[in-house]
Amino acid sequence: MFRPRGLHWQTLFHLLVGRKPTFRGMHRVFLSIVDHFEPMWGRAGMSLQRERVDRWVREYPRLCCGIEDSRSRPPQHTFFYPAEEYEPEHLEKLAGLCRQGLGDVEIHLHHDNDTADNLRNTLETFKHRLHEGHGLLKAGRDGQVTYGFVHGNWALDNSRPDGRWCGVNNELTVLRETGCYADFTMPSAPSSTQTRSFNSIYYAIDDPDRPKSHDRGIPAQVGAAPPARGLLMIQGPIALDWGRRKFGLLPRLENGDLTGHFPPTLARLERWLWAAVSVAGREDWCFVKLHTHGAQEKNAAMLLGEPMREFHESLADFARQSPELTYYYVTAREMADLVHQAEQGALEPELDRAQV
């Protein structure tokens, strides 16, 4: 029987026969691009790394020129930079883009056979480098520097069945205690690290003795305070793409990945909205978290070129024809703050707060 790799049976059943959410009444769409930004991808030398970063510095502001969302704000791009590949020169260039109001930088990490103590030291060291050395990240209400997180190789909380690319069963606890305001790793399908929870915003409670504690969690909902030991998980969309079929019959998986071969389109937007990722009780706010690897040449050509501009222009045209829709380009940090606004019962989003 057909089952896309990485999906549990109940997930597939929901995708095949679950009731499709209606677009009616969906007034707010928050769009965030989470970039696993790796200038050293493919073991690139410094010359190629510089070319990759400089391309973004040169072409991204040009792409954004003249593009606005429903509040007249340009696109936002969140660069999740790998801690193990720290290069001050690259980070300072990305910080320059952020100072132009075009995005943000957060933390990405690849590690293997790690320990909780070493992980804690890695995260604390890197977040302070970003904050104190480059003016990135923000301090929370308690003064602690906070960050968003994406796990390399999708292996959050030691979730690979073979135990590779992590090694830390209490990773969620380490993340929370070092200031992680939200994790943005999921979805990972077709990887075996994909969680049973999907198309969800929820809080994962760590079991320090077992891997993959984020497999399920407590849904974020209006009127409910975040659990004290919970780590906020903001997932991107999963759907079946019947327009792109294998062997002419079987649907391909839509997982919100933006690549040179699969750019954003209005047809994909429909599937992202179908996924209906939202806070329970505030379903008219739809959270669309997409992901990409923007330093890779083929992806960069798409993200910085005509395919991306065409998507932004098509989205603006679509919104003009859909008075019930307003859409907002947001950073990962802003998306997490909007989740908390929804939990607190807000009827209208405050887009400039970002206090997480």
Side-chain angles (χ1 to χ4, degrees):
M1 176 179 279
F2 159 70
R3 179 163 70 103
R5 190 160 53 92
L7 293 187
H8 296 279
W9 289 110
Q10 62 266 40
T11 304
L12 178 60
F13 179 80
H14 173 87
L15 295 177
L16 287 170
V17 305
R19 183 173 63 86
K20 180 176 179 179
T22 61
F23 185 70
R24 182 178 304 164
M26 185 183 295
H27 298 292
R28 305 285 183 264
V29 176
F30 307 110
L31 182 65
S32 184
I33 296 180
V34 166
D35 189 344
H36 306 197
F37 193 75
E38 303 166 358
M40 296 185 191
W41 178 75
R43 299 183 179 179
M46 180 57 75
S47 177
L48 180 54
Q49 293 176 39
R50 287 191 177 114
E51 287 180 20
R52 289 169 169 171
V53 177
D54 289 346
R55 181 176 190 175
W56 274 88
V57 172
R58 181 178 63 252
E59 298 181 20
Y60 181 48
R62 188 161 55 212
L63 169 79
C64 295
C65 185
I67 297 175
E68 298 179 342
D69 64 10
S70 296
R71 57 171 170 156
S72 302
R73 192 188 193 206
Q76 299 295 304
H77 198 89
T78 306
F79 300 90
F80 280 74
Y81 194 95
E84 76 282 1
E85 298 181 4
Y86 176 63
E87 173 52 58
E89 175 184 328
H90 301 338
L91 265 304
E92 193 54 36
K93 291 174 180 177
L94 296 180
L97 288 176
C98 298
R99 287 191 287 269
Q100 295 178 52
L102 299 177
D104 212 346
V105 171
E106 301 289 352
I107 294 181
H108 187 28
L109 177 66
H110 304 83
H111 60 151
D112 191 18
N113 194 30
D114 207 351
T115 66
D117 287 342
N118 185 67
L119 173 62
R120 187 182 301 274
N121 180 65
T122 298
L123 293 170
E124 290 284 359
T125 299
F126 189 54
K127 77 173 187 179
H128 286 294
R129 281 176 170 172
L130 293 180
H131 186 63
E132 296 159 14
H134 304 283
L136 299 165
L137 306 182
K138 290 182 174 64
R141 296 178 181 87
D142 60 358
Q144 183 183 42
V145 176
T146 60
Y147 63 92
F149 187 73
V150 163
H151 198 294
N153 306 111
W154 314 111
L156 180 66
D157 203 44
N158 210 22
S159 58
R160 276 178 60 111
D162 62 4
R164 291 299 308 277
W165 309 120
C166 185
V168 183
N169 281 344
N170 65 333
E171 186 163 49
L172 302 186
T173 296
V174 175
L175 289 171
R176 181 173 52 81
E177 291 179 351
T178 55
C180 179
Y181 63 78
D183 177 87
F184 297 86
T185 304
M186 295 290 108
S188 64
S191 167
S192 58
T193 60
Q194 172 61 41
T195 55
R196 293 176 186 269
S197 296
F198 66 100
N199 292 340
S200 299
I201 299 174
Y202 63 102
Y203 291 90
I205 308 296
D206 198 12
D207 180 342
D209 297 320
R210 300 180 62 183
K212 208 174 186 179
S213 296
H214 59 298
D215 204 29
R216 291 191 173 95
I218 302 170
Q221 56 186 317
V222 173
R229 294 176 48 246
L231 180 64
L232 179 61
M233 313 293 296
I234 300 180
Q235 297 187 327
I238 285 183
L240 296 179
D241 182 357
W242 294 93
R244 300 172 66 246
R245 304 191 186 193
K246 296 180 179 179
F247 315 116
L249 177 64
L250 303 178
R252 292 183 181 271
L253 184 68
E254 167 64 74
N255 63 4
D257 191 9
L258 304 181
T259 69
H261 295 297
F262 200 22
T265 62
L266 286 186
R268 294 190 73 185
L269 175 65
E270 182 179 1
R271 290 188 288 276
W272 301 334
L273 296 178
W274 181 94
V277 180
S278 61
V279 173
R282 184 84 279 166
E283 285 79 8
D284 55 330
W285 290 15
C286 185
F287 294 80
V288 179
K289 189 225 72 170
L290 310 174
H291 67 275
T292 190
H293 289 75
Q296 298 179 20
E297 281 72 19
K298 290 183 179 180
N299 295 346
M302 179 276 293
L303 292 164
L304 298 170
E306 283 305 309
M308 199 69 191
R309 175 168 282 276
E310 289 176 6
F311 171 72
H312 289 305
E313 292 174 346
S314 297
L315 178 56
D317 289 340
F318 178 62
R320 281 191 287 269
Q321 298 169 24
S322 307
E324 72 275 22
L325 169 70
T326 53
Y327 69 99
Y328 306 90
Y329 299 127
V330 298
T331 64
R333 185 177 293 266
E334 289 167 335
M335 180 167 277
D337 188 72
L338 287 160
V339 168
H340 296 313
Q341 290 183 38
E343 291 173 322
Q344 294 161 13
L347 299 179
E348 292 293 331
E350 294 182 31
L351 277 303
D352 299 312
R353 198 176 74 171
Q355 294 179 357
V356 293

